[in-house]
Amino acid sequence: MRTMLEGKRVSRISVRGFAVASATAVTTVGAVVGVASGQEQGSVAHTEATAADATIADIPAGLQAQVQAAPLTQQADEASTQADAAALKSAQEEARKAAAQDAQDKKDAADKKAKAEEDAKKREKEKEDASRSAARDASTFTAKASYSIAETQAIARQMLPGDQFQCFSNIVDHESGWNYRATNASSGAYGLVQALPGTKMASAGSDWRTNPATQIKWGLNYMNSRYNSPCGAWSFWQANHWY
């Protein structure tokens, strides 16, 4: 009989090969082997020490499947842990990509807004420059002894940018009714735009008393410098009834 058992050890499957990674499995197998060989419960510790030398054949048939399943459970746990780690890494990578995309979108939006504001300022400056350039053309008009309202308005249309004429006209309508010789008896304001005092218009030309083109030039420069444009001046006038 001993000879037969020794022969079986050639194909022996060590319990350590199945359950060395699981202390619980080793203890269980050791206890089973101990009980199967008639040992007392108190000798389980000794059995654990010698369990590595036991063969699968030394374990009752009903428990062999449990012993063999121990490394498979360990492998499944390791595979699950690896899968969880891979899923976590994937989630972290997706979150990183989403955060990067969000940051890029915000930067693009900020750049777009900044460009729009810059373009708006550029257009506004072009309008102001056009207004100032138009005002310098006042000297091209031939001086006359007198001017009708229609003639004075025609001069203004040629001197002002098209989108600013109506605002300029609104102010002149209220200030002088397009009378380039209009005088405010109480304040001394004079001319189309009611410069106060009228002598201020001398900076645009010495003929400021009699030439509506000179008055328009001065009035346009004043509105541009103080309100950025005639329309800016008209907005202020509407709120305050003076400018």
Side-chain angles (χ1 to χ4, degrees), residues 23-40:
T24 302
V26 171
T27 301
T28 301
V29 172
V32 171
V33 172
V35 172
S37 60
Q39 296 178 5
E40 297 296 331

Side-chain angles (χ1 to χ4, degrees), residues 90-128:
S90 177
Q92 291 174 335
E93 180 64 16
E94 290 300 321
R96 184 192 66 77
K97 289 180 179 179
Q101 185 61 52
D102 183 60
Q104 185 63 47
D105 291 342
K106 289 181 178 178
K107 181 179 182 301
D108 291 343
D111 290 344
K112 184 177 181 180
K113 181 179 178 181
K115 187 177 186 304
E117 291 175 349
E118 181 179 353
D119 290 344
K121 290 180 180 179
K122 183 178 180 181
R123 288 192 297 270
E124 187 63 28
K125 186 176 185 303
E126 289 174 349
K127 288 182 180 180
E128 294 174 10

